């Protein structure tokens, strides 16, 4: 008896979390070394590109993102995305030993909450319903409700980049991570569309000739590049154990909202299952908050001369 699609998605999502959680630490160490020998990434420097540790972190993150990408093909975003909480646990544990960013006893409670919430979501998650073509996905992407979400998201990103970043980027973590998370929600729905197109193509129904396939690919590339730029700025400016949970909470929230609107993940589920998933999500988010508030914060880096 083969594995169900949802179970395949869960296994891939857990593996992805392990890789991504490790990548935060490797990239943070690379950014620190790069900042010590040149201009910090947080103020526009790129010396971290010469650091092998940063590239090791980037390769590890890519491996995690590939696993995550495939997970979205097999399972709905409301199942895959919350499992990213496991990357926070990995990141927190490694940061405790490798970056001397201490994890307190209450942080363990936060880790347990993340695990419990993830289990609740896995148990009550909806089954994946794969569209029959990329044109069906395009129909979902151009429905009025999702178009309103896209316009609101892009407007918020422009406001953060043009107004808030110059004034508050170095002091308020929500600026950098807000940009990452909002763009990340569009990344996920685009990547899911690409993944479904690849799966259908491998099954003998080629989607390569459809312009919608290439549109989703272009959107995904732009969003991913934007995420990486602002995630590097956040990691260079703020404590890694602060970046990980806050990014996760915001990214998960916006991604689930985008997925529920576009792919109608909760369609056909009863109220009890949806309520259980929401409770599981709240438990996971609470765990990340507990983990965050019980960690010592890194003082802001000194301004460049």
């Amino acid at each position: 008896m083969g594995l169900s699609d949802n179970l395949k998605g869960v296994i891939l999502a857990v593996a992805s979390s392990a890789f991504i959680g490790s990548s935060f630490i490797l990239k943070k160490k690379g950014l620190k070394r790069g900042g010590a020998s040149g201009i910090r990434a947080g103020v526009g420097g790129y010396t971290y590109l010469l650091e092998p540790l940063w590239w090791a972190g980037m390769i590890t993150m890519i491996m995690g993102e590939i696993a995550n990408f495939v997970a979205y093909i097999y399972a709905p975003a409301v199942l895959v995305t919350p499992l990213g909480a496991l990357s926070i646990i990995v990141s927190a544990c490694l940061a405790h030993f490798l970056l001397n960013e201490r994890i307190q006893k209450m942080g363990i409670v936060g880790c347990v909450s993340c695990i419990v919430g993830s289990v609740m979501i896995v148990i009550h998650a909806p089954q994946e319903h794969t569209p029959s073509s990329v044109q069906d996905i395009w129909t979902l992407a151009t429905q009025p409700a999702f178009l309103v979400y896209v316009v609101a998201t892009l407007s918020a990103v422009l406001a953060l980049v043009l107004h808030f970043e110059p004034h508050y980027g170095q002091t308020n973590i929500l600026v950098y991570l807000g940009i990452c998370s909002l763009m990340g929600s569009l990344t996920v729905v685009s990547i899911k569309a690409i993944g479904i197109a690849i799966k259908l193509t491998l099954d003998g129904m080629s989607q390569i000739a459809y312009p919608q396939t290439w549109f989703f690919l272009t959107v995904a590339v732009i969003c991913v590049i934007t995420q990486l730029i602002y995630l590097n700025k956040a990691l260079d400016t703020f404590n890694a154990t602060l970046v990980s949970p806050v990014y996760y909470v915001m990214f998960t929230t916006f991604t689930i909202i985008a997925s529920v609107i576009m792919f109608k993940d909760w369609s056909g589920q009863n109220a009890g299952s949806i309520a259980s998933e929401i409770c599981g999500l709240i438990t996971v988010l609470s765990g990340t908050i507990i983990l965050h508030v019980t960690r010592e914060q890194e003082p802001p880096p000194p301004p460049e001369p």
Side-chain angles (χ1 to χ4, degrees):
M1 184 176 178
L3 299 176
S4 68
D5 282 354
N6 270 19
L7 184 55
K8 291 177 183 176
V10 169
I11 293 172
L12 288 164
V14 171
S16 169
S17 293
F19 284 121
I20 292 174
S22 302
S23 75
F24 271 107
I25 306 307
L26 292 171
K27 290 174 69 178
K28 178 71 174 182
K29 289 182 73 70
L31 287 166
K32 280 189 170 183
R33 289 187 180 182
S37 59
I39 301 175
R40 294 173 28 246
V43 291
Y46 294 95
T47 52
Y48 61 86
L49 293 175
L50 302 176
E51 292 296 329
L53 270 178
W54 186 88
W55 283 107
M58 178 58 67
I59 292 171
T60 305
M61 176 171 278
I62 291 171
M63 293 172 63
E65 293 297 348
I66 291 173
N68 206 40
F69 170 79
V70 181
Y72 280 114
I73 298 177
Y74 288 104
V78 293
L79 169 58
V80 175
T81 306
L83 292 179
L86 301 179
S87 68
I88 298 174
I89 298 174
V90 173
S91 177
C93 292
L94 292 178
H96 179 78
F97 295 105
L98 301 179
L99 297 178
N100 295 319
E101 297 178 0
R102 292 185 173 277
I103 181 170
Q104 307 298 330
K105 291 182 179 179
M106 280 300 294
I108 299 175
V109 175
C111 292
V112 172
S113 296
C114 290
I115 295 173
V116 170
S118 297
V119 172
M120 291 175 63
I121 292 170
V122 169
I123 292 174
H124 297 282
Q127 292 297 316
E128 173 73 342
H129 302 290
T130 304
S132 59
S133 73
V134 74
Q135 290 178 311
D136 290 343
I137 305 174
W138 181 255
T139 299
L140 296 173
T142 53
Q143 59 185 309
F146 188 70
L147 290 177
V148 169
Y149 175 81
V150 171
V151 170
T153 295
L154 294 179
S155 299
V157 169
L158 285 174
L160 287 170
V161 171
L162 299 177
H163 176 70
F164 290 96
E165 183 188 358
H167 298 92
Y168 309 107
Q170 293 292 305
T171 57
N172 193 326
I173 193 173
L174 297 181
V175 175
Y176 291 146
L177 296 187
I179 297 170
C180 290
S181 302
L182 289 166
M183 296 299 286
S185 68
L186 300 181
T187 300
V188 168
V189 294
S190 298
I191 283 179
K192 186 172 179 67
I194 296 166
I196 293 172
I198 292 174
K199 184 180 180 182
L200 291 171
T201 299
L202 294 177
D203 288 340
M205 296 174 285
S206 178
Q207 306 295 305
I208 296 176
Y210 292 110
Q212 293 92 334
T213 301
W214 299 102
F215 176 82
F216 285 125
L217 179 60
T218 301
V219 171
V221 170
I222 293 172
C223 291
V224 166
I225 291 174
T226 304
Q227 281 181 266
L228 287 175
I229 290 173
Y230 284 95
L231 182 57
N232 280 331
K233 290 187 176 185
L235 281 170
D236 187 57
T237 308
F238 303 97
N239 190 306
T241 52
L242 172 62
V243 171
S244 297
V246 174
Y247 180 42
Y248 170 75
V249 169
M250 297 178 69
F251 173 75
T252 300
T253 301
F254 288 126
T255 296
I256 289 179
I257 292 172
S259 182
V260 166
I261 294 174
M262 178 172 170
F263 291 102
K264 306 183 186 302
D265 291 330
W266 286 339
S267 178
Q269 279 201 296
N270 59 49
S273 295
I274 295 175
S276 296
E277 290 172 52
I278 294 174
C279 288
L281 176 61
I282 292 173
T283 302
V284 171
L285 298 183
S286 299
T288 61
I289 292 171
I290 292 172
L291 189 57
H292 158 51
V293 299
T294 57
R295 299 297 299 275
E296 59 181 15
Q297 295 190 15
E298 183 177 327
E304 294 294 324

